[in-house]
Amino acid sequence: MASDRPILEAALTAGLNLPHSCKSGHCSSCRVRLRAGEIEYPNGVPLGLTAQEAQAGNILLCQARARSDLIVEARLIANVTDVEIKTLPCRIAQLTPLAPDVMQVFLRLPAVEALRFQPGQYLDILLNGGRRRSFSIASPPHDSELLELHVRRVPGGAFTDGLFGAPAVGSLLRIEGPIGQFVYQENSSPLLMIAGGTGFAPLKSMLRHLLEGGIDKPIHLYWGARRAQDVYEEKLVLGWARRHPQLRFTAVLSEATEAKAPHHRLGWVHEAVLADHASLEPFDVYTAGPPALIEAIRASFPHRGVRQDRLFFDSFDYGS
């Protein structure tokens, strides 16, 4: 049946947790093989789909619209299928500015409801007119009385402008979640965690899960940002590093002119990781941030030995 909704959005609404990440046509995580039916890309063939992949019958669910009934061949999702996707009401319990353009938002669910999720997953805030805005859950599953989000302000954004404008504490929202396959995988490998901007949010959930759960393994967190003020929870992470010797922390600043702290570096965050590690083979790599960061890591890290099945990423554009 013809629809103006992306196929991925329709699938998620129906409770089908299909593989996906950025929802913007860049990362190709939602690539599937079209076995039968017709689709259309209203905005043209997305950048994340090569001509060879399209010719082979692949489509990107986040951009494609169905123009008939479809049969697609999708990858199976492991480890998250036992989590029920729910639509729930909640209220904004607390708002705390973390940076000039980043707000920490705590959501309170009804007392009789709970949202089971895994570290790294996200939720959708459901807005009027069928619109959705996706935000990673920054709190860990063991501390989920309030759900923590990190929301970056997008100028002119109907949802984000409201958070930074008139007081919104107590406002009622509807959410859907948990969603996503970017989740922590239990094993003994040392970890490299790479955040770009508010990509720190899902990694914060994972880090709290690890550190507060007593999981003792080497972790090196790299946080890429424009300037020092954009590493908006630096003091928190430095406190973690003092209490947990297995955690190392490096902030990499792309627009700063000098490194004012021992843990600061200048440049691009993925290049800092490559400069520090001649081989990435021993590591599990978790990275979250904008599409350009994810594309750079996917292009360069395999050449340093990281296994494709040990490279986990969450690519997203900032929702307004």
Side-chain angles (χ1 to χ4, degrees):
M1 179 179 295
S3 173
D4 289 328
R5 301 175 67 192
I7 299 168
L8 176 63
E9 182 181 318
L12 294 176
T13 300
L16 300 176
N17 197 8
L18 295 174
H20 66 281
S21 183
C22 73
K23 295 185 179 179
S24 61
H26 291 90
C27 73
S28 78
S29 295
C30 65
R31 185 178 66 242
V32 301
R33 183 70 59 83
L34 181 62
R35 291 300 188 185
E38 297 183 2
I39 62 97
E40 179 183 357
Y41 295 114
N43 300 314
V45 177
L47 296 176
L49 190 69
T50 67
Q52 293 82 2
E53 289 169 341
Q55 188 174 9
N58 293 289
I59 64 171
L60 295 189
L61 295 176
C62 71
Q63 300 300 305
R65 271 63 167 176
R67 294 300 176 243
S68 70
D69 291 341
L70 304 176
I71 299 176
V72 300
E73 178 182 330
R75 303 190 310 277
L76 292 176
I77 300 172
N79 300 317
V80 295
T81 53
D82 60 338
V83 176
E84 179 186 2
I85 298 177
K86 296 182 177 181
T87 300
L88 298 170
C90 64
R91 289 192 182 275
I92 297 177
Q94 181 179 330
L95 295 172
T96 303
L98 297 175
D101 61 346
V102 177
M103 185 72 73
Q104 183 183 47
V105 180
F106 286 99
L107 303 179
R108 186 183 303 278
L109 296 173
V112 296
E113 293 285 1
L115 186 71
R116 292 180 56 243
F117 62 94
Q118 296 194 34
Q121 290 189 295
Y122 71 91
L123 57 81
D124 277 355
I125 293 179
L126 307 180
L127 305 176
N128 294 333
R131 296 173 299 152
R132 295 170 173 259
R133 297 295 180 266
S134 301
F135 299 100
S136 296
I137 304 171
S139 45
H142 68 266
D143 183 17
S144 58
E145 181 178 354
L146 297 178
L147 299 176
E148 178 185 354
L149 313 178
H150 297 172
V151 178
R152 182 178 296 279
R153 184 173 193 174
V154 177
F159 175 68
T160 61
D161 271 356
L163 289 179
F164 288 80
V169 173
S171 297
L172 183 65
L173 298 174
R174 289 175 62 243
I175 63 171
E176 186 172 280
I179 310 171
Q181 298 81 48
F182 182 65
V183 299
Y184 173 67
Q185 309 284 333
E186 299 279 358
N187 63 46
S188 60
S189 300
L191 302 178
L192 293 177
M193 293 186 165
I194 307 160
T198 52
F200 174 66
L203 299 184
K204 180 179 182 180
S205 178
M206 294 183 187
L207 283 163
R208 288 192 59 194
H209 169 76
L210 291 161
L211 300 175
E212 296 171 18
I215 301 173
D216 189 6
K217 62 166 64 180
I219 306 168
H220 194 156
L221 170 66
Y222 292 82
W223 189 344
R226 293 167 297 178
R227 297 170 296 274
Q229 70 180 30
D230 300 315
V231 187
Y232 52 80
E233 288 205 294
E234 183 176 50
K235 290 182 179 179
L236 174 70
V237 178
L238 289 173
W240 290 345
R242 286 192 295 269
R243 295 191 301 274
H244 302 279
Q246 75 268 33
L247 175 63
R248 295 179 59 196
F249 173 47
T250 302
V252 186
L253 311 176
S254 62
E255 295 183 8
T257 57
E258 60 178 318
K260 296 184 178 180
H263 61 282
H264 284 181
R265 303 264 287 277
L266 303 181
W268 299 107
V269 65
H270 70 285
E271 293 178 352
V273 178
L274 294 173
D276 288 349
H277 300 280
S279 173
L280 298 175
E281 186 175 1
F283 299 98
D284 284 0
V285 179
Y286 291 84
T287 182
L293 170 63
I294 305 305
E295 290 169 7
I297 288 174
R298 293 180 67 202
S300 58
F301 278 31
H303 297 294
R304 289 290 180 90
V306 69
R307 291 166 41 190
Q308 291 286 357
D309 63 339
R310 308 318 301 169
L311 177 57
F312 308 97
F313 59 89
D314 188 15
S315 173
F316 55 81
D317 287 331
Y318 299 116
S320 59

